[in-house]
């Protein structure tokens, strides 16, 4: 077969409740059917008679349907379900509509759902699979860098409420994840960069080798050179798989994945999710957390400089013009602040992180102000995000 020469990296995710592979490589999409059947031995996936559903968005389907369908019998393609882009569609009513469509198409408990899209499709698809007939199997085929390195791994699924993002959901791990880096060819550059900030995060909190690689190979990574991007995706997935394997339910170590996210989420909320992509907001959050780490002595000046330089290498980051108190208000409402205790993840040197539970309002406020002074001077604010 023409695809068999390409190497595929496999990372195994092992938690108390799940054990599944994440495949990272090229040309996974046009060979999907065979690959699903190959994991059938263990799971029964891909067996004859099993109904297959694919959840995707119209834009992704128009770019990639041919490659997706290549390995499926032409007279028996999977049933396609669509989700329009944008957080406003990541809602319970969408899940209900999709469940009705599946029932109409005679889905049963042995049906298999493939979530083929970015993090929104993955989160909605995973949640639909978690609750349809009390749970069916699903597979993730992530199409954004963010989904490949972060959201497709770890089993968190869910939808938004008016009151906040991801407030309804469940843990439901996929049977497998196929991260085909060829899919990134059509990803807008800004989406690619935003996703790469999660890989920068992975390097800072747990993988000094990935950090150094991202310092050295920024140009190759940003131009999606296959070998370089494949290494970054695989290393980021490995980092997340290890952390989730140790702490599936986020009672300890998994919290370090929230580095940059306390203020990152606050930035997103304070700008009503309209100015910055998630990864960009996290990048500014990482800058603030690093400066707090510097004040507390968890990183040296030289390490803090290296961290900030790496973050900016994957920019440009859009400017932020916000008063610090708006950010602090939003951070106080963050659901990650359990019972009023503010947990803040600080880098500890390069390649490690600590959870600080005693960050005072003053410390947080001066870290936010210091970051905002830099962020005000950044490139012009990005135009408001308009969903395609
Ligand atoms: N479950 C988790 O653990 C977890 C972790 C992080 C983020 N998330 C969630 O992920 C979501 C964000 O995901 P995202 O950043 O992937 O955004 P997204 O799903 O909105 O995708 C971004 C945009 O890129 C387009 N797109 C996707 N793939 C493409 C491709 N290959 N070519 C061209 N265009 C493409 C999409 O249509 C969309 O317009 C958020 O809802 C967030 O809450 C979940
Ligand atoms: Zn994130």
């Amino acid at each position: 077969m023409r695809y068999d020469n390409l190497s595929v990296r496999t990372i195994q995710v092992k938690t108390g409740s799940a054990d599944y592979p994440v495949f990272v490589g090229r040309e996974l999409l046009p060979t999907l059917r065979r690959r699903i059947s190959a994991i059938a031995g263990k799971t029964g996936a891909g067996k004859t008679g099993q109904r297959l559903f694919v959840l995707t968005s119209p834009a992704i389907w128009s770019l990639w349907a041919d490659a997706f369908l290549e390995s499926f019998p032409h007279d028996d393609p999977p049933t396609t379900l669509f989700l329009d882009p944008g957080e406003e569609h990541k809602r319970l009513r969408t899940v209900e509509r999709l469940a009705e469509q599946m029932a109409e198409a005679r889905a049963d408990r042995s049906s298999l759902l493939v979530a083929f899209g970015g993090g929104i499709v993955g989160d909605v698809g995973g949640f639909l699979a978690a609750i349809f007939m009390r749970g069916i199997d699903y597979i993730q085929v992530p199409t954004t860098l963010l989904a490949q390195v972060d959201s497709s791994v770890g089993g968190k699924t869910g939808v938004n409420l008016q009151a906040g993002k991801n407030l309804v959901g469940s843990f439901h791990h996929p049977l497998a994840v196929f991260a085909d880096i060829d899919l990134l060819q059509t990803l807008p550059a800004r989406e690619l960069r935003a996703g790469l900030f999660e890989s920068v995060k992975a390097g800072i909190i747990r993988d000094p080798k990935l950090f150094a690689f991202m310092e050295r190979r920024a140009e190759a990574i940003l131009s999606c050179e296959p070998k370089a991007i494949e290494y970054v995706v695989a290393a980021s997935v490995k980092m997340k798989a290890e952390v989730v394997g140790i702490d599936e339910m986020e009672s300890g170590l998994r919290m370090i994945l929230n580095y940059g996210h306390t203020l990152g989420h606050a930035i997103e909320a304070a700008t009503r999710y309209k100015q910055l992509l998630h990864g960009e907001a996290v990048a500014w959050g990482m800058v603030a957390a690093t400066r707090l780490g510097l004040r507390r002595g968890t990183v040296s000046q030289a390490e803090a400089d290296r961290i900030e330089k790496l973050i900016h290498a994957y920019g440009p980051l859009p400017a932020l013009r916000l008063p610090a108190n708006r950010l602090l208000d939003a951070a106080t409402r963050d659901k990650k602040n359990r019972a009023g205790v503010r947990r803040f993840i600080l880098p500890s040197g390069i390649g490690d992180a600590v959870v600080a539970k005693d960050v005072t309002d003053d410390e947080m406020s001066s870290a936010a102000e210091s970051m905002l002074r830099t962020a005000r001077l950044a490139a012009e604010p990005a135009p408001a995000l308009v969903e395609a």
Side-chain angles (χ1 to χ4, degrees), residues 150 198 261 278 282:
D150 188 358
E198 298 284 359
H261 283 62
H278 171 73
V282 168

Side-chain angles (χ1 to χ4, degrees), residues 284 318-321 370-379:
W284 282 128
L320 259 185
R321 309 227 159 88
S370 161
M371 175 274 288
L372 284 168
R373 272 195 295 280
T374 309
R376 263 181 220 117
L377 302 174

Side-chain angles (χ1 to χ4, degrees), residues 309-367:
K309 195 166 168 218
L310 185 66
I311 293 169
H312 289 294
Y314 289 86
L317 281 174
L320 259 185
R321 309 227 159 88
L322 277 177
N325 59 3
R326 283 255 306 280
L327 268 194
L328 297 180
D329 286 351
T332 311
R333 283 193 295 269
D334 192 314
K335 74 175 155 85
K336 300 256 149 65
N337 291 317
R338 293 194 188 152
V341 181
R342 177 177 290 143
R343 291 183 162 80
F344 214 90
I345 316 303
L346 304 176
S348 173
I350 285 173
D352 201 1
V354 288
V355 184
K357 295 183 183 144
D358 54 352
V359 172
T360 63
D361 284 353
D362 279 354
E363 277 182 303
M364 178 118 139
S365 159
S366 55

